[in-house]
Amino acid sequence: MTDREEMLSRLFMKMIEFDRSDPKRIQHFTKVASYARLIGQGEGLDEETAFTLEAAALVHDIGIHVAEDKYGRQNGKLQEAEGPAPARRLLEECGFPGDVTDRVCYLVGHHHTYKDIDGIDYQILVEADFLVNIFEDGDTGADAADPGMKETALKVRENIFRTRTGTFILDNMFLKDRYHA
């Protein structure tokens, strides 16, 4: 295992501990991290950018519990405001380099801001989060044929998604009919 893989594994375990007793949050960041990695590979990210992206995907929603504890609620803006500080603590504990930590904290502090996306890591994090959120937010036992999920997927496809790989996943997950490719 490389040093980077070891750091990511430690961070993963620290996030599980951070979100203890909250399987929904743990499942969420696990799925976002998986899609981020897959999209990053499909887009041919260099090793440094992929490392930063994967770390950001693991901690992207770390501000949720902080916001809930502090304000009694959470939303995208509160997550962005409250997430960078605890993310920085965990990244430093895991030995992440300063430049990677700084970028991850920037991504955590902006992952619900969809205007002026600067960087492929930011773009992919947003796309991976949307892939998971469309389903989780619309999950009422329905499948991807649910009109609400399709409508949301069409909107984000037009307005948010930019990568070939992320768009491929979105299309196949929510927009393509199973029997008529």
Side-chain angles (χ1 to χ4, degrees), residues 42 46 84 114 116 131 134 143 167:
D46 64 82
Y114 311 126
D116 301 323
L131 287 170
I134 291 168
D143 62 19
T167 302

Side-chain angles (χ1 to χ4, degrees), residues 7 10-11 14-15 18 52 55-56 58-63 66 79-110:
M7 279 187 266
R10 278 196 308 269
L11 183 61
K14 284 196 173 286
M15 278 303 301
F18 187 90
T52 301
L58 289 169
V59 300
H60 76 283
D61 277 346
I62 197 168
V66 178
Q79 289 175 44
E80 288 180 338
E82 299 298 333
R88 183 173 298 281
R89 275 194 307 279
L90 289 187
L91 292 160
E92 288 172 352
E93 287 174 18
C94 292
F96 280 76
D99 60 331
V100 173
T101 297
D102 290 344
R103 181 64 179 172
V104 169
C105 289
Y106 174 82
L107 294 171
V108 169
H110 291 83

Side-chain angles (χ1 to χ4, degrees), residues 144 167-176:
T167 302
F168 173 86
I169 296 168
L170 179 78
D171 288 351
N172 281 281
M173 191 179 298
F174 298 107
L175 300 173
K176 288 190 177 177

Side-chain angles (χ1 to χ4, degrees), residues 23-74:
K24 179 181 177 182
R25 294 271 49 90
I26 294 166
Q27 290 287 319
H28 177 81
F29 78 71
T30 299
K31 291 183 278 186
V32 171
S34 178
Y35 284 122
R37 181 182 178 111
L38 182 63
I39 296 168
Q41 289 171 339
E43 297 302 304
L45 294 188
D46 64 82
E47 194 175 306
E48 185 76 12
T49 305
F51 177 59
T52 301
L53 170 63
E54 289 179 42
L58 289 169
V59 300
H60 76 283
D61 277 346
I62 197 168
I64 287 178
H65 288 300
V66 178
E68 288 172 338
D69 291 346
K70 196 170 181 178
Y71 307 104
R73 62 187 168 78
Q74 60 85 19

Side-chain angles (χ1 to χ4, degrees), residues 35 39 126-135 144 149-176:
Y35 284 122
I39 296 168
V126 166
E127 290 181 12
D129 200 23
F130 264 109
L131 287 170
V132 177
N133 283 336
I134 291 168
F135 179 75
M149 282 191 220
K150 275 196 167 190
E151 183 179 329
T152 300
L154 283 167
K155 284 180 185 173
V156 298
R157 187 184 199 285
E158 182 178 326
N159 297 313
I160 304 291
F161 276 61
R162 300 287 176 263
T163 70
R164 179 187 49 79
T165 309
T167 302
F168 173 86
I169 296 168
L170 179 78
D171 288 351
N172 281 281
M173 191 179 298
F174 298 107
L175 300 173
K176 288 190 177 177

